[in-house]
Amino acid sequence: MNAEAALPGAPFLARDLPGEGGRLRLEGHALADLAQRFGTPLFVYSRGAMRSALAAYQDALRGRAHLVCYAMKANSSLAVLQTFAQAGCGFDIVSGGELARVQAAGGDLSKVVFSGVGKTRAEMAQALRAGVRCFNVESEPELDTLNAVALDLGLRAPVSLRVNPDVDAGTHPYISTGLKGNKFGIAHADALAAYRHAASLPGLRVVGIDCHIGSQITQTGPYLDALDRLLDLVEAVEAAGIAIHHVDVGGGLGITYTDEQPPAAGLLVAELLHRLDARGHGHRELLFEPGRSLVGNAGVLLTEVLVLKPGHVEDGGKNFCIVDAAMNDMVRPAMYQAWMGIEPCEQRACPATTWDVVGPVCESGDWLGHDRSLAVAPGDVLALLSAGAYGMTMSSNYNTRPRAAEVMLDGAQVHLIRERESVAALFANERLTA
Ligand code: LLP
């Protein structure tokens, strides 16, 4: 097998041939050297991989009215946002904090869509003043609140209703969002009435319709089903005299962590455009909110092996490879039983053993990989692959562990984009009592 194709994140992630040292490289930079220079745990991203993932959507949408809004919950570090802003991308935000990040990164606020089931009045006002592109509204009460906030400010809020299309995205229950039993969106059966209500409120202006059916989706079928359900509604709403400009199909396209074979973004876009055309809606602006598929395979998490702790495997024990990254740095395995690739940054000649790769946090759920065959020794650096999405943004300070540093690679350049958090910063806001 071609060594590059075997690594998720190829061609930006590749391993030198064994005869040439077998070093793992991201965008040409040896990861072991970066670990040495910046310390571990360390997130390392390839700007080239991010740009290329975005271009896959943008190229397929060329010539059509469209906007790609990066779902920044996947990775909201300022330099990541800057990368997408410079490429003309908009942003899907879910909090006032995310809006502030877009502003700090120089993003275009007129390309921001504001999603989320529980926006506060303060967040609504902040986004209205900032002039965001639209609010993805998830309930009738939210329409009323937004209307009141907009009228108070003497503004009109552009709204798109997030409809729950009740389609099964076929993914993990925690990240499936478009089924009747999920908290998200307005039920399909209630949507027409909600549009009539929205159109009657003077502080609102209806601009679109949207949905988001889940995450790590590996087929195009659920998207096409959801689009059909949205277009049925668009037709009913427009027949009632309410114009709908854009259709937002959400995010959710999966990536390869192990053997998943999600459709390429270009294929997904082509199929959706084809369906829009076939149903006579080709003139509509199409919005996407991809998160994971823009950044997931553009990043790795580097971690050093602290201790090898062999167990009595013959008696049901386990061999533990204890590393300096933990569930507080990358919670996906603990939270979703997610499988993420683990690769040594330099290859050893010694035979491989089966290890559970675990962190130092005091929880049995603190693991990064079970039963991995690795040739390792203490001091070696391992790379947790596909760590660009939902790694840093979901990290915490559990066990009073400072959050990791982050590095952005851009061709020959290496940028430290986030300094390692200091322990002092962790309790700087705390006070002893008198
Ligand atoms: N739009 C909305 C309204 C969303 O809720 C999400 C993700 C996205 C877009 C982007 O979805 P993506 O393209 O990244 O799949 N922490 C989980 C994933 C949670 C996804 C939540 N919503 C994980 O690590 O797998």
Side-chain angles (χ1 to χ4, degrees), residues 241-310:
I242 303 163
I244 290 189
H245 173 73
H246 76 247
V247 176
D248 180 343
V249 292
L253 182 60
I255 61 170
T256 301
Y257 286 97
T258 166
D259 54 3
E260 305 92 330
Q261 294 184 314
L267 178 74
L268 173 64
V269 170
E271 289 193 15
L272 290 170
L273 288 175
H274 182 76
R275 183 64 58 92
L276 272 181
D277 290 345
R279 292 196 49 173
H281 291 269
H283 58 289
R284 290 192 195 284
E285 184 175 11
L286 190 57
L287 267 61
F288 282 87
E289 300 168 2
R292 187 192 317 266
S293 57
L294 295 189
V295 292
N297 273 330
V300 296
L301 173 59
L302 303 184
T303 182
E304 183 183 321
V305 177
L306 299 175
V307 187
L308 292 180
K309 197 173 166 189

Side-chain angles (χ1 to χ4, degrees), residues 57 71 73-74 92 94 115-116 136 138 162 174-175 177 184 210-212 214-217 223 250-254 257 289-293 332 336 389-390 394:
Y57 283 91
K73 61 172 77 71
D92 170 53
V94 290
S115 302
N136 290 338
E138 303 221 12
R162 176 170 175 181
Y174 283 15
I175 51 178
T177 50
F184 299 101
D210 85 298
C211 72
H212 172 76
S215 198
Q216 187 54 16
I217 301 168
Y223 282 101
L253 182 60
Y257 286 97
E289 300 168 2
R292 187 192 317 266
S293 57
R332 301 193 66 258
Y336 314 113
Y390 303 111
M394 295 182 80

Side-chain angles (χ1 to χ4, degrees), residues 2-317:
N2 173 322
E4 280 191 2
L7 292 169
F12 295 90
L13 185 68
R15 188 181 284 292
D16 292 347
L17 295 171
E20 293 164 7
R23 310 187 91 203
L24 193 62
R25 292 179 185 274
L26 185 61
E27 210 165 322
H29 297 265
L31 293 173
D33 293 347
L34 295 172
Q36 179 76 35
R37 179 167 161 199
F38 296 102
T40 51
L42 180 72
F43 284 96
V44 185
Y45 310 119
S46 157
R47 190 164 256 170
M50 291 184 186
R51 287 194 183 119
S52 134
L54 175 64
Y57 283 91
Q58 289 176 330
D59 290 350
L61 286 160
R62 185 151 295 135
R64 304 288 289 246
H66 75 272
L67 183 62
V68 179
C69 295
Y70 167 55
M72 60 184 281
K73 61 172 77 71
N75 187 327
S76 59
S77 298
L78 295 187
V80 172
L81 305 185
Q82 178 189 29
T83 305
F84 291 123
Q86 286 172 348
C89 194
F91 298 93
D92 170 53
I93 64 166
V94 290
S95 70
E98 288 195 342
L99 180 57
R101 281 184 174 273
V102 174
Q103 281 170 308
D108 181 346
L109 302 177
S110 71
K111 293 183 180 171
V112 167
V113 298
F114 191 175
S115 302
V117 285
K119 304 172 188 80
T120 65
R121 294 175 72 97
E123 287 174 322
M124 290 175 180
Q126 179 191 354
L128 277 167
R129 286 200 196 93
V132 300
R133 165 75 192 259
C134 81
F135 291 80
N136 290 338
V137 173
E138 303 221 12
S139 65
E140 287 225 26
E142 186 187 338
L143 286 174
D144 294 321
T145 308
L146 183 58
N147 176 57
V149 174
L151 291 177
D152 274 354
L153 294 174
L155 296 168
R156 270 184 103 183
V159 297
S160 165
L161 298 198
R162 176 170 175 181
V163 175
N164 186 332
D166 194 25
V167 299
D168 187 357
T171 182
H172 190 285
Y174 283 15
I175 51 178
S176 208
T177 50
L179 280 168
K180 269 187 198 145
N182 298 128
K183 70 178 173 183
F184 299 101
I186 295 173
H188 196 268
D190 301 335
L192 180 56
Y195 269 105
R196 286 187 202 274
H197 184 54
S200 75
L201 296 173
L204 304 184
R205 181 164 46 89
V206 171
V207 295
I209 189 165
D210 85 298
C211 72
H212 172 76
I213 56 175
S215 198
Q216 187 54 16
I217 301 168
T218 54
Q219 300 147 0
T220 57
Y223 282 101
L224 293 168
D225 292 346
L227 179 61
D228 272 331
R229 305 272 289 158
L230 290 193
L231 293 181
D232 293 346
L233 262 176
V234 169
E235 289 163 9
V237 171
E238 292 208 325
I242 303 163
I244 290 189
H245 173 73
H246 76 247
V247 176
D248 180 343
V249 292
L253 182 60
I255 61 170
T256 301
Y257 286 97
T258 166
D259 54 3
E260 305 92 330
Q261 294 184 314
L267 178 74
L268 173 64
V269 170
E271 289 193 15
L272 290 170
L273 288 175
H274 182 76
R275 183 64 58 92
L276 272 181
D277 290 345
R279 292 196 49 173
H281 291 269
H283 58 289
R284 290 192 195 284
E285 184 175 11
L286 190 57
L287 267 61
F288 282 87
E289 300 168 2
R292 187 192 317 266
S293 57
L294 295 189
V295 292
N297 273 330
V300 296
L301 173 59
L302 303 184
T303 182
E304 183 183 321
V305 177
L306 299 175
V307 187
L308 292 180
K309 197 173 166 189
H312 296 283
V313 177
E314 63 291 349
D315 284 341

